[in-house]
Amino acid sequence: IMQCSGSQNKLGFALHLVLLRLLHIPMPTLEDIPEPIIHFVALQLTIDPVVLTGYPQREQTRHDHLVRIRRHLGIRSYSAARDDEPLRTYLIQRALHRDDDANLLEEAEEWLRRNRILYPALSTLKRRVSEASTQADTLFSATILTQVDAEQRTAILALLDLPHDLRGTLFMWLKEAARIASVKSMKDLLAKHQTLQTTRIDQIDLSALNRNRVRQMADLGRKYYAATMRSFAVDKRLTILVCLLQDLRYQV
């Protein structure tokens, strides 16, 4: 910092350093930096913060400062050609564990920090997260769908349409927990067990999939109504149903 000439350059350089080191982003426009941060850094340098208005707006000067700071901190800019693929691979693996874009965005930022890479634009990170989430969904579903034959597929999807007494579909009935311990409840449990057997759900092996992700999909099945499930694409519908039925199998 002290190698910079002029108080305005010292303060501007120091703010760049702080933001790159702590937030992994270059300094935005001066108007976007909260005043308490400017005053805090200026206090450490015993510089009047008003001099910052004279910090060079020339792009080359700011670029030179960033180059020097990156070299000092041992970090580099994000490169699509170099970093897109390894980041995508990492995010797909994380997305197979948990389907949550907000968490994936945090994981992407943590990956960049570990690899000492500056954050790209937020829109770029969100796009990488969205792509990884979509590809993880495809891989997750494919592991399940390749095990489901045509007859089984029909039987599982039919649960969303076949009525059960006056309580809606078989899908809703299977999810319904027993209210009290009674003979009727025991008979219901046996009937649910037999219904699950007709789908041959026990023949589908989910052991290769992350258990948290399977449970998360099962929870979606518990939350949705039959009409909502029918609005989904068939592959998504079937994926959720298989995870839910596998979970119900251990409760019935």
Side-chain angles (χ1 to χ4, degrees), residues 7-98:
S7 296
Q8 73 277 12
N9 279 337
K10 288 182 172 65
L11 183 53
F13 189 94
L15 286 168
H16 270 307
L17 176 61
V18 166
L19 291 170
L20 281 173
R21 185 177 61 203
L22 298 181
L23 301 182
H24 256 51
I25 60 171
M27 185 173 73
T29 60
L30 299 180
E31 294 77 14
D32 291 333
I33 304 177
E35 283 192 18
I37 294 178
I38 296 174
H39 281 267
F40 182 72
V41 174
L43 181 64
Q44 295 180 74
L45 300 174
T46 61
I47 292 175
D48 187 340
V50 298
V51 305
L52 190 60
T53 57
Y55 182 64
Q57 298 300 310
R58 196 167 73 91
E59 190 64 33
Q60 187 60 46
T61 301
R62 296 164 71 92
H63 174 73
D64 291 345
H65 284 181
L66 286 172
V67 169
R68 288 169 57 192
I69 293 169
R70 286 200 301 265
R71 187 180 302 121
H72 171 71
L73 296 177
I75 57 180
R76 62 177 176 81
S77 296
Y78 184 90
S79 164
R82 179 176 177 180
D83 302 317
D84 270 359
E85 186 58 26
L87 177 58
R88 184 186 70 85
T89 301
Y90 173 77
L91 287 176
I92 289 173
Q93 291 304 312
R94 300 309 302 156
L96 286 170
H97 284 73
R98 184 169 180 82

Side-chain angles (χ1 to χ4, degrees), residues 136-224:
D137 284 343
T138 301
L139 290 172
F140 185 89
S141 293
T143 304
I144 294 173
L145 300 179
T146 53
Q147 302 181 62
V148 182
D149 60 41
E151 181 183 348
Q152 195 175 20
R153 184 187 187 95
T154 300
I156 292 173
L157 292 175
L159 297 175
L160 297 171
D161 301 306
L162 293 175
H164 183 269
D165 296 336
L166 301 177
R167 288 175 288 182
T169 61
L170 284 174
F171 170 70
M172 298 303 293
W173 170 68
L174 283 170
K175 297 191 294 179
E176 190 179 79
R179 293 185 176 85
I180 58 173
S182 65
V183 172
K184 182 180 182 305
S185 295
M186 290 299 296
K187 287 182 177 179
D188 260 3
L189 282 175
L190 288 172
K192 288 177 180 180
H193 181 71
Q194 290 171 348
T195 300
L196 288 174
Q197 282 186 317
T198 64
T199 66
R200 293 184 284 120
I201 196 66
D202 58 309
Q203 296 178 13
I204 300 175
D205 182 11
L206 303 185
S207 61
L209 299 172
N210 180 270
R211 184 60 195 162
N212 285 337
R213 186 71 187 277
V214 173
R215 190 178 297 113
Q216 186 180 30
M217 297 299 285
D219 287 343
L220 290 179
R222 284 190 174 83
K223 180 177 73 173
Y224 293 139

Side-chain angles (χ1 to χ4, degrees), residues 20-26 73-80 82-88 90-91 94 104-126 128-129:
L20 281 173
R21 185 177 61 203
L22 298 181
L23 301 182
H24 256 51
I25 60 171
L73 296 177
I75 57 180
R76 62 177 176 81
S77 296
Y78 184 90
S79 164
R82 179 176 177 180
D83 302 317
D84 270 359
E85 186 58 26
L87 177 58
R88 184 186 70 85
Y90 173 77
L91 287 176
R94 300 309 302 156
L104 282 180
L105 187 59
E106 290 181 5
E107 300 230 27
E109 291 177 346
E110 181 57 33
W111 183 89
L112 291 166
R113 281 183 177 276
R114 285 200 306 271
N115 288 278
R116 307 192 68 75
I117 302 169
L118 292 178
Y119 298 164
L122 182 58
S123 58
T124 299
L125 273 186
K126 286 183 174 180
R128 295 290 90 82
V129 164

Side-chain angles (χ1 to χ4, degrees), residues 222-247:
R222 284 190 174 83
K223 180 177 73 173
Y224 293 139
Y225 289 101
T228 305
M229 291 286 290
R230 286 194 293 267
S231 70
F232 295 147
V234 174
D235 284 356
K236 180 177 180 180
R237 203 185 314 165
L238 192 58
T239 298
I240 294 174
L241 281 170
V242 168
C243 292
L244 174 63
L245 296 179
Q246 281 271 7
D247 210 45

